[in-house]
Amino acid sequence: MAWMLIVGSLLLAWISSLCKIFHGSSSSFRNSFLNTGGALRKRNVLLVVAHPDDESMFFSPTITFLTSRGHNLHVLCLSMGDADGKGNIRKDELYQACAILKVPLQQVKIMDHPDLQDGFGRVWNHTLLAKIIEGEIMSYGIDSIITFDNYGVSGHCNHRDVHYGVCKFLHNGPGNKIEAWELVSTNTLRKYSGPLDIWLLIIHAMQHSGEVMHCLLNEQPQKSFLAMAQHSSEWVWFRKLFVAFSSYTYVNTLRKIKYM
């Protein structure tokens, strides 16, 4: 009977968390993200990721938030994900996923640079990354950047290099003209807590009031599943489980990058 009570309690908490998402009753953090002094205006945002599927697996709450509020989102994917020789397939899959996520395809750029190839142990040059990012910033009048933090959610070296490439651009670039945000990595327990992590994130944000952070709920988590399913070459059983149980499907915590 004890195990049934535990399972029932977890199920009730899971359902309650999903109800919080679907009814949009989030914290005040969500509503103020990218507002300037409380004023609502369209921002030109660049999401910088390492591989096709990063956008759907990790950043879909952020993408949904931005597109639903009329922000102008550009996606820069710094490799084709060609570690297994499927780069061209994965490139097309990323375009399909972005169509589901309502990102205009002309605002999606996928790199295939010989020095930025997918793979564990492949070190990406931070100066090269900063130069590519600067080009996107200048071309599209970007005023906000979103990317991985220095752990990169999964610890993948390419994710971490993307973070350091963005930081190098910020240190060498336009000073405080660019607003930069990183997706906060969590421990394993929280990573696989699904929508239950919403409550922990709100508590964490309250306890770390000195940091500038925003908690973005995914108001359409079903869209995350549909977007990830477009990556059919990667849509194997363990990634299906990841998307179902990952907290990153349901909520993103973005922290402001300090670079001054």
Side-chain angles (χ1 to χ4, degrees):
M1 289 296 294
W3 69 269
M4 291 180 65
L5 181 61
I6 293 172
V7 171
S9 298
L10 288 174
L11 182 60
L12 180 61
W14 189 284
I15 293 172
S16 299
S17 301
L18 288 176
C19 288
K20 184 173 181 63
I21 290 173
F22 288 125
H23 289 288
S25 57
S26 67
S27 69
S28 60
F29 300 123
R30 179 175 66 103
N31 299 324
S32 62
F33 182 57
L34 293 186
N35 289 359
T36 303
L40 292 172
R41 68 179 180 90
K42 182 185 290 187
R43 304 288 287 269
N44 294 320
V45 184
L46 180 66
L47 173 64
V48 187
V49 297
H51 315 113
D53 77 12
D54 288 347
E55 82 297 331
S56 300
M57 288 181 66
F58 307 121
F59 290 95
S60 58
T62 298
I63 293 173
T64 300
F65 176 91
L66 294 172
T67 57
S68 67
R69 285 156 180 80
H71 294 295
N72 192 28
L73 176 63
H74 293 258
V75 176
L76 173 61
C77 183
L78 288 160
S79 81
M80 294 173 63
D82 199 35
D84 298 320
K86 298 183 290 186
N88 287 324
I89 294 173
R90 297 191 66 188
K91 180 179 180 179
D92 290 338
E93 291 170 349
L94 176 55
Y95 286 128
Q96 294 168 19
C98 285
I100 296 294
L101 295 168
K102 305 299 183 184
V103 181
L105 299 189
Q106 67 270 22
Q107 294 175 196
V108 180
K109 184 172 184 177
I110 306 168
M111 302 294 299
D112 185 23
H113 194 285
D115 294 329
L116 300 176
Q117 294 299 305
D118 176 22
F120 286 101
R122 287 183 175 267
V123 178
W124 290 0
N125 183 283
H126 300 163
T127 300
L128 173 61
L129 292 170
K131 184 177 180 180
I132 292 171
I133 292 164
E134 182 180 16
E136 296 299 298
I137 298 289
M138 300 301 293
S139 296
Y140 299 108
I142 299 297
D143 53 46
S144 305
I145 306 175
I146 299 172
T147 192
F148 293 103
D149 67 3
N150 62 0
Y151 185 72
V153 179
S154 64
H156 196 297
C157 58
N158 298 159
H159 296 181
R160 302 179 75 173
D161 282 334
V162 169
H163 168 83
Y164 289 118
V166 169
C167 288
K168 189 170 188 66
F169 161 73
L170 294 171
H171 282 293
N172 298 338
N176 59 6
K177 294 181 181 179
I178 301 292
E179 195 170 301
W181 300 86
E182 60 188 7
L183 179 63
V184 176
S185 299
T186 63
N187 59 48
T188 302
L189 179 62
R190 287 185 55 191
K191 185 189 294 186
Y192 296 108
S193 63
L196 299 178
D197 195 49
I198 293 169
W199 312 103
L200 298 173
L201 284 173
I202 293 172
I203 294 171
H204 177 82
M206 293 173 64
Q207 292 177 338
H208 294 78
S209 56
E211 294 182 307
V212 181
M213 295 194 297
H214 292 274
C215 175
L216 307 183
L217 302 188
N218 191 348
E219 297 160 341
Q220 299 177 333
Q222 68 278 12
K223 189 179 288 187
S224 300
F225 286 85
L226 186 56
M228 189 59 203
Q230 305 309 304
H231 295 278
S232 55
S233 66
E234 305 297 302
W235 195 226
V236 292
W237 67 269
F238 58 86
R239 286 196 177 89
K240 293 178 182 178
L241 287 176
F242 179 90
V243 174
F245 290 97
S246 169
S247 61
Y248 292 94
T249 298
Y250 306 97
V251 61
N252 282 167
T253 298
L254 300 180
R255 178 174 54 214
K256 197 165 189 177
I257 299 176
K258 300 177 181 178
Y259 59 93
M260 294 303 293

